């Protein structure tokens, strides 16, 4: 592979996150090659090193994860990365680091937010890792030079603290905005929103946007956190139940905080109830500087723990916990209870348990704002397209078929999408006015097994896995095609009505 990086230019290669049909295991290589008196000189950085969620579908028994293959980059002095930038702390962007270290690899300096460092340190302790890479904490506005590559850190709205985008600039001033996971939302809770002011200042400079297109098939803008909060309050006030069960993913700190603030507003006591992983994330939130008991003061009581804690609570109580654990606490009278499920129904092991106990519930299927959202939707990117003066978008974090189905809509709204559609392990050359594919090789995942506490890697060619994985239940080819067709139809209809109003007055 290294022979394809032997000419000057600014290269980009996705190694995870641009799968045939899946959306995780994020990892992206940026390499800038210049001519010097001593010959060619390469500067390489990696953005994110996550794990592939659906590793079981790759067919290796007893696998615990799958990670992108960066072994060649780590081994070759010419291409060896000067840094790994971590956009945020979620496992699909971060946890590959653990498995590489457990396999005996040495990694370059890591750059990430303070909360990301806390999460990583917790993982180090869990996996018994002592020899760790240097970690440099970054914040909005920081500028880091990695050889001939300049990186500026920019705040990004997502579902956890310290989520960042990156402005990546090569020696010839080709500039890429790598969004990380993001949305346009100025109402973010306990953290800064996406820095639109700085993006506007850089609009004439940015040529390309390596974009998180996870939510691109959804109409409108991503749900604002203030709207999620208002929805929680409205539901609880309307139904006025003594017990409210709110299941939340442990990694989604913003949803935990929104549910807690709603409880505080309504003066309802809180019990946090979940597995070890859930309590670990609560402790990380505390380490980050947010203390639930201190916030509660004398207004409400806050408990962590087990069923005994639950039994000592007064009647008015909100139970914030995990989907797989709250079912153990459903013995309170059904007529005095309700559930508020903060996710789509296909991820709801609690839904059947609530039904079995005759406890009524409301979920994100009924009220979409309940789910919140850390990813931009179509209007977020229409807005970004205008702010950045119509750059070239390079989609990531979504299956290829979604982009295939969306081209007609993207063209209509004036979004330029890079062709061919970016795929894992294909190599692309950036120029000021176009992006060119220079090599295409099938992607490899390294499936992880553990033998005597040491990670071992098995190479598996990337293959379609939706038939066995979770994606088929979420966004199929037919479903994405129908959604884009509807969006285009609505815009054409709106444009036609607007023309009628204009010409009807003439």
């Amino acid at each position: 592979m290294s022979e394809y990086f032997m000419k000057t230019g600014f290269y980009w290669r996705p190694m995870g996150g641009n799968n045939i049909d899946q959306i995780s295991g994020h990892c992206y290589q940026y390499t800038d090659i210049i001519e010097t008196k001593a010959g060619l000189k390469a500067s390489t950085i990696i953005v994110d090193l996550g794990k592939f969620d659906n590793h079981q579908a790759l067919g290796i028994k007893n696998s615990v994860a799958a990670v992108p293959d960066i072994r060649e980059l780590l081994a070759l002095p010419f291409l060896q990365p000067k840094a790994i930038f971590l956009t945020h702390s979620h496992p699909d962007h971060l946890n590959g680091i653990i498995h590489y270290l457990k396999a005996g690899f040495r990694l370059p300096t890591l750059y990430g937010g303070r909360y990301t460092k806390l999460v990583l340190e917790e993982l180090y302790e869990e996996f018994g890792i002592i020899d760790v890479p240097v970690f440099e904490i970054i914040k909005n506005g920081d500028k880091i030079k990695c050889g001939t590559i300049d990186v500026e850190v920019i705040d990004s709205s997502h579902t956890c603290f310290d989520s960042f985008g990156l402005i990546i600039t090569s020696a010839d001033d080709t500039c890429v905005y790598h969004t990380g996971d993001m949305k346009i939302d100025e109402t973010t809770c306990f953290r800064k929103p996406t820095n639109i002011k700085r993006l506007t200042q850089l609009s004439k400079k940015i040529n390309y946007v390596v974009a998180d297109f996870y939510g691109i098939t959804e109409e409108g803008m991503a749900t604002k956190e203030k709207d999620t909060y208002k929805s929680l309050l409205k539901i609880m006030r309307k139904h006025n139940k003594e017990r409210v069960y709110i299941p939340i993913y442990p990694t989604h700190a913003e949803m935990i905080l929104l549910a807690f603030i709603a409880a505080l507003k309504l003066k309802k006591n809180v019990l946090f109830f979940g597995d070890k992983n859930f309590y670990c994330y609560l402790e990380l939130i505390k380490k980050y500087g947010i203390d639930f008991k201190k916030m509660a003061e004398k207004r409400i009581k806050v408990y962590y723990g087990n069923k005994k804690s639950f039994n000592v609570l007064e009647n008015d109580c909100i139970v914030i916990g995990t989907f797989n654990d709250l079912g153990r606490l459903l013995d309170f009278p059904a007529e005095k209870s309700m559930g508020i499920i903060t996710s789509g129904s296909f991820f709801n092991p609690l839904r059947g348990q609530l039904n079995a106990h005759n406890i009524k519930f409301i979920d994100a299927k009924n009220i979409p704002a309940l789910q919140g959202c850390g990813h931009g939707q179509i209007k977020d990117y229409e807005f970004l397209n205008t702010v950045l003066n119509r750059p070239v978008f390079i989609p990531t974090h979504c299956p290829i078929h979604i982009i295939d189905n969306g081209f007609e809509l993207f063209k209509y709204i004036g979004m330029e999408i890079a062709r061919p559609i970016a795929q894992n392990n294909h190599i692309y050359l950036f120029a000021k006015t176009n992006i060119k594919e220079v090599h295409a090789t099938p992607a490899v995942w390294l499936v992880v097994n553990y033998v005597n506490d040491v990670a071992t890697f098995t190479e598996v060619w990337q293959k379609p896995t939706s038939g066995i994985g979770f994606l088929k239940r979420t966004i199929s080819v037919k479903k994405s095609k129908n959604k884009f067709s509807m969006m285009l139809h609505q815009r054409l209809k709106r444009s036609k009505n607007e023309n009628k109003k204009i010409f009807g007055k003439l």
Side-chain angles (χ1 to χ4, degrees):
M1 186 67 66
S2 59
E3 63 269 24
Y4 297 102
F5 295 97
M6 297 308 292
K7 293 182 179 179
T8 58
F10 190 28
Y11 295 86
W12 177 72
R13 175 167 56 146
M15 291 177 284
N18 284 65
N19 312 353
I20 298 169
D21 63 343
Q22 293 277 346
I23 53 175
S24 60
H26 299 276
C27 185
Y28 307 91
Q29 172 193 349
Y30 290 85
T31 295
D32 191 32
I33 300 177
I34 64 168
E35 184 76 54
T36 70
K37 291 181 180 179
L40 294 179
K41 178 183 177 182
S43 300
T44 295
I45 64 169
I46 293 172
V47 177
D48 290 333
L49 183 52
K51 72 178 182 71
F52 179 41
D53 293 324
N54 202 27
H55 57 90
Q56 297 94 338
L58 296 172
I60 303 297
K61 289 184 178 180
N62 302 317
S63 65
V64 298
V67 296
D69 188 359
I70 65 167
R71 293 173 299 174
E72 183 182 46
L73 293 181
L74 297 175
L76 292 173
F78 180 70
L79 289 175
Q80 206 164 68
K82 298 182 181 298
I84 298 178
F85 286 85
L86 303 169
T87 60
H88 62 289
S89 60
H90 286 166
D92 58 328
H93 294 256
L94 176 74
N95 284 33
I97 288 169
I98 297 301
H99 301 298
Y100 269 95
L101 294 176
K102 291 293 286 185
F105 287 87
R106 298 189 69 84
L107 298 177
T109 299
L110 309 177
Y111 290 85
R114 183 166 63 90
Y115 184 73
T116 301
K117 185 173 186 284
L118 290 173
V119 172
L120 199 51
E121 286 172 344
E122 191 69 32
L123 289 168
Y124 290 157
E125 184 176 344
E126 179 185 342
F127 281 83
I129 300 171
I130 299 172
D131 188 10
V132 302
V134 174
F135 193 107
E136 295 287 348
I137 293 176
I138 56 177
K139 61 184 184 303
N140 180 69
D142 283 351
K143 296 179 181 179
I144 300 103
K145 193 167 186 65
C146 300
T148 60
I149 295 177
D150 293 319
V151 180
E152 179 179 343
V153 181
I154 184 168
D155 278 326
S156 181
S157 303
H158 193 41
T159 60
C160 57
F161 307 113
D162 293 341
S163 182
F164 299 119
L166 304 169
I167 307 297
I168 303 170
T169 308
S170 68
D172 70 351
D173 280 335
T174 299
C175 184
V176 179
Y177 169 35
H178 188 110
T179 69
D181 289 358
M182 65 81 72
K183 61 176 176 176
I184 309 296
D185 180 7
E186 74 285 358
T187 70
T188 50
C189 184
F190 290 92
R191 61 198 194 284
K192 293 180 180 178
T194 299
N195 193 342
I196 298 301
K197 180 179 179 181
R198 182 58 179 152
L199 289 174
T200 303
Q201 292 170 348
L202 294 169
S203 61
K204 292 182 180 179
K205 178 182 177 181
I206 294 170
N207 310 106
Y208 300 95
V209 179
V210 174
D212 161 29
F213 266 26
Y214 178 88
I216 202 71
T217 57
E218 300 303 317
E219 183 58 279
M221 297 191 82
T223 303
K224 295 185 183 300
E225 290 179 26
K226 70 174 183 181
D227 293 332
T228 300
Y229 171 69
K230 288 178 180 178
S231 295
L232 287 170
L233 284 179
K234 184 177 180 181
I235 291 166
M236 287 189 280
R237 281 171 171 159
K238 178 180 178 181
H239 295 274
N240 195 29
K241 299 295 183 180
E242 294 180 14
R243 289 285 189 271
V244 182
Y245 303 95
I246 306 180
I248 295 171
Y249 295 118
T251 56
H252 289 193
E254 106 288 357
M255 189 62 77
I256 294 172
L257 285 161
L258 291 174
F260 181 81
I261 295 169
L264 203 57
K265 177 74 173 178
L266 298 172
K267 294 184 179 179
K268 286 180 174 287
N269 299 311
V270 170
L271 171 66
F272 289 111
F273 189 88
D275 57 11
K276 180 182 176 182
N277 188 46
F278 180 65
Y279 295 123
C280 176
Y281 273 99
L282 291 178
E283 187 61 28
L284 289 171
I285 291 172
K286 186 176 179 180
K287 284 182 180 179
Y288 191 70
I290 298 171
D291 189 328
F292 292 107
K293 287 192 174 181
K294 189 174 180 180
M295 288 171 63
E297 294 178 334
K298 295 181 180 180
R299 288 185 286 174
I300 63 172
K301 295 179 181 179
V302 180
Y303 296 87
Y304 297 83
N306 51 38
K307 198 167 183 178
K308 289 182 180 178
S309 302
F310 186 72
N311 290 334
V312 301
L313 284 173
E314 286 81 356
N315 286 338
D316 264 353
C317 169
I318 293 176
V319 188
I320 301 170
T322 44
F323 287 91
N324 291 322
D325 297 285
L326 290 187
R328 291 186 281 146
L329 300 178
L330 301 181
D331 53 1
F332 195 74
E335 67 276 9
K336 298 181 180 181
S337 306
M338 73 171 299
I340 300 177
I341 299 179
T342 61
S343 178
S345 59
F346 42 81
F347 282 136
N348 284 340
L350 186 63
R351 187 178 184 182
Q353 295 174 36
L354 289 167
N355 279 327
H357 285 80
N358 294 315
I359 296 174
K360 293 183 178 180
F361 62 89
I362 294 172
D363 66 14
K365 189 175 180 180
N366 309 114
I367 303 177
L370 288 177
Q371 183 161 334
C373 191
H375 303 273
Q377 298 177 182
I378 186 67
K379 284 285 187 180
D380 293 77
Y381 281 95
E382 286 185 77
F383 175 81
L384 192 62
N385 187 44
T386 302
V387 167
L388 295 181
N389 197 26
R390 302 185 186 280
V392 177
F393 285 88
I394 304 168
T396 67
H397 209 318
C398 67
I400 289 169
H401 68 255
I402 286 183
I403 309 306
D404 270 333
N405 286 331
F407 267 107
E408 191 176 355
L409 173 66
F410 300 144
K411 183 178 179 180
Y412 178 78
I413 61 181
M415 286 181 65
E416 184 177 350
I417 308 294
R419 301 294 295 262
I421 302 169
Q423 297 188 42
N424 284 347
N425 217 32
H426 291 206
I427 300 170
Y428 303 87
L429 178 63
F430 288 123
K432 286 293 182 66
T433 57
N434 63 77
I435 178 171
K436 178 183 178 183
E437 184 179 270
V438 296
H439 184 67
T441 299
V444 169
W445 288 104
L446 302 180
V447 180
V448 184
N449 293 84
Y450 276 83
V451 179
N452 298 324
D453 199 37
V454 175
T456 62
F457 293 156
T458 303
E459 290 186 11
V460 178
W461 293 111
Q462 178 174 282
K463 59 184 179 181
T465 57
S466 288
I468 338 172
F470 65 84
L471 194 65
K472 191 173 183 180
R473 290 173 285 174
T474 58
I475 186 69
S476 64
V477 176
K478 183 178 179 181
K479 189 175 180 181
S480 65
K481 186 175 182 179
N482 289 342
K483 284 194 168 192
F484 283 128
S485 295
M486 182 60 69
M487 289 181 197
L488 181 59
H489 173 73
Q490 289 171 343
R491 282 161 175 74
L492 289 169
K493 184 178 179 181
R494 188 159 57 243
S495 177
K496 185 177 180 181
N497 289 338
E498 287 171 358
N499 285 337
K500 277 185 177 180
K501 288 179 181 179
I502 293 169
F503 293 109
K505 295 178 181 179
L506 297 178

